[in-house]
Amino acid sequence: MHADAEQASPTERSRHDPRRPAASPARPRSAADRTPGATPGILATGACVPEQVVTNASLATALGVTADWIVDRTGVHERRVAAPGEATSDLATHAARQALDRAGVDAAEVGLIILGTSTPDLPLPATACRVQANLGAWGAYAMDLDAVCTGFVYALDVAHKIMRCDPTLGYAVVIGADTYSRILDYTDRRTSVLFGDGAGAVVLGRSADAAGIAYTRLGSDGRQHDLVRIPAGGSRAPASTATVAHGGHYFTMDGRAVRAFAERKLPELVADATAACGLTVADLDLLVPHQANVRLLREVTKELGFVADQVAISGTHYGNTGAASVPVTLDAAIDAGRVRPGARVLLAAFGGGMTWGSALITWPGGTAGQPTPEELPA
């Protein structure tokens, strides 16, 4: 981690590692290049992580383990944790504002905001409405979407399809943001070492220079709803002194079952996407997976035939940031120059519910042979 990355103010995105280049070949042009009527795509990305760095060493002693024990089992070296008073909406706002600035889009032009999160500021109203107010996006309608760690991919697909159905909708902001530090039991070494806080965002708009969303697929299996959950605090088990005393307000996970699910589902997502788009693993320039467990990701992607340069990993420094995981990792990959003109980038996520989803993003420039949404099967 760069020292200046840890010390940047919450309103700055320069704290993201590695440090942002002055310009990236994958970044879109200014708003003046927009093409009314064009198929919507990604104009720009943004991300935000909190300032506070929590190392393995700072967690290990209280958990009765070593820092190396955490790395060996998770691949995580450190994570970011929101400051007191810093909420999901704050991180989401910073990420969205940065994406809008990069896209050259004024918040007043935004017609839709979808926030994927499972750690809202409050049970109600929607945290997306707080983000709308923070941005001043008065012409937008805003909603939350909870698919746990698949939340961003779900939100991206929903927003893209809404824009394709409504040609009057010029811009949408799609965000994945979570503050899991607020729901973790820091005496539980099975969960507390895995997670961190963060937010990532994209701006969708209509431009020949936008990154095209060529393929998406979503799924869920509610029969496995109890694998990842917060047992209390909802309508089934309302918050009470008893639920708090028994830790019912903390995040829980069946680690073995979730690992087995991930080991099965990630290969399926890759196989389905490549088959539908007429591609092979070798044809993908980058896989951006949900950062559930870095060690697991490296093992599974190697078995699938990916080489290290094809897989984007951010979890070593940020941990599992829930719905923020995929957009934060995508933004970091763009910052590092790993998304070049013409690149094929596959987003793949899975989460509680259980849910899963994927999206193939095709960057403009040198895109011969890449599928378009109209060319893919329904």
Side-chain angles (χ1 to χ4, degrees):
M1 300 290 288
H2 299 292
D4 60 341
E6 297 179 10
Q7 297 170 2
S9 72
T11 59
E12 295 174 343
R13 190 51 193 80
S14 59
R15 58 187 169 174
H16 202 358
D17 296 308
R19 281 181 280 189
R20 179 175 311 285
S24 167
R27 296 291 183 198
R29 300 178 190 173
S30 69
D33 296 315
R34 303 297 179 258
T35 307
T39 301
I42 296 174
L43 299 177
T45 67
C48 176
V49 294
E51 290 182 5
Q52 183 181 356
V53 177
V54 176
T55 65
N56 288 343
S58 65
L59 294 176
T61 301
L63 295 171
V65 300
T66 66
D68 288 341
W69 182 94
I70 297 172
V71 174
D72 290 343
R73 285 158 177 77
T74 69
V76 177
H77 290 257
E78 60 190 20
R79 70 285 297 147
R80 301 295 184 94
V81 172
E86 189 173 33
T88 296
S89 65
D90 299 316
L91 301 180
T93 299
H94 293 316
R97 185 174 288 129
Q98 184 185 62
L100 287 167
D101 288 346
R102 289 177 177 164
V105 175
D106 190 277
E109 300 178 89
V110 175
L112 170 65
I113 299 170
I114 304 183
L115 170 61
T117 186
S118 53
T119 55
D121 287 11
L122 302 168
L124 58 88
T127 301
C129 292
R130 181 69 175 266
V131 175
Q132 177 202 27
N134 291 344
L135 295 174
W138 310 122
Y141 57 100
M143 68 182 86
D144 288 358
L145 191 158
D146 183 359
V148 195
C149 296
T150 320
F152 174 79
V153 176
Y154 264 55
L156 179 67
D157 189 33
V158 170
H160 183 239
K161 286 175 177 173
I162 289 175
M163 289 191 71
R164 293 187 68 189
C165 291
D166 182 0
T168 68
L169 188 58
Y171 301 103
V173 175
V174 180
I175 311 163
D178 272 308
T179 48
Y180 269 70
S181 64
R182 301 299 194 250
I183 59 172
L184 292 176
D185 176 358
Y186 279 97
T187 67
D188 180 5
R189 67 185 187 185
R190 297 168 299 178
T191 57
S192 61
V193 299
L194 285 168
F195 292 90
D197 301 337
V202 300
V203 175
L204 300 184
R206 307 175 191 278
S207 171
D209 294 318
I213 303 173
Y215 162 93
T216 58
R217 182 155 299 172
L218 307 178
S220 63
D221 182 357
R223 294 169 296 183
Q224 302 182 74
H225 67 90
D226 58 345
L227 298 187
V228 177
R229 63 182 186 141
I230 298 176
S235 62
R236 185 167 298 279
S240 66
T241 54
T243 65
V244 172
H246 289 92
H249 57 297
Y250 287 131
F251 173 92
T252 66
M253 178 173 67
D254 184 334
R256 289 187 179 180
V258 170
R259 182 183 179 93
F261 179 86
E263 289 174 336
R264 181 179 70 256
K265 189 54 61 177
L266 182 56
E268 288 179 6
L269 289 170
V270 172
D272 289 349
T274 51
C277 298
L279 303 172
T280 66
V281 164
D283 294 322
L284 297 175
D285 295 285
L286 195 66
L287 172 69
V288 180
H290 167 51
Q291 308 288 298
N293 179 305
V294 172
R295 181 179 175 185
L296 178 150
L297 290 178
R298 287 177 172 150
E299 291 172 355
V300 173
T301 55
K302 183 177 180 180
E303 291 174 0
L304 291 174
F306 287 96
V307 298
D309 286 347
Q310 284 180 286
V311 184
I313 300 291
S314 69
T316 51
H317 294 299
Y318 299 140
N320 177 347
T321 54
S325 171
V326 167
V328 165
T329 305
L330 175 62
D331 185 74
I334 294 173
D335 286 353
R338 299 181 66 186
V339 180
R340 312 298 294 184
R344 300 182 181 100
V345 178
L346 180 64
L347 314 182
F350 42 88
M354 298 296 284
T355 61
W356 59 88
S358 61
L360 179 68
I361 314 299
T362 59
W363 256 257
T367 57
Q370 293 200 27
T372 65
E374 290 75 14
E375 295 171 340
L376 294 172

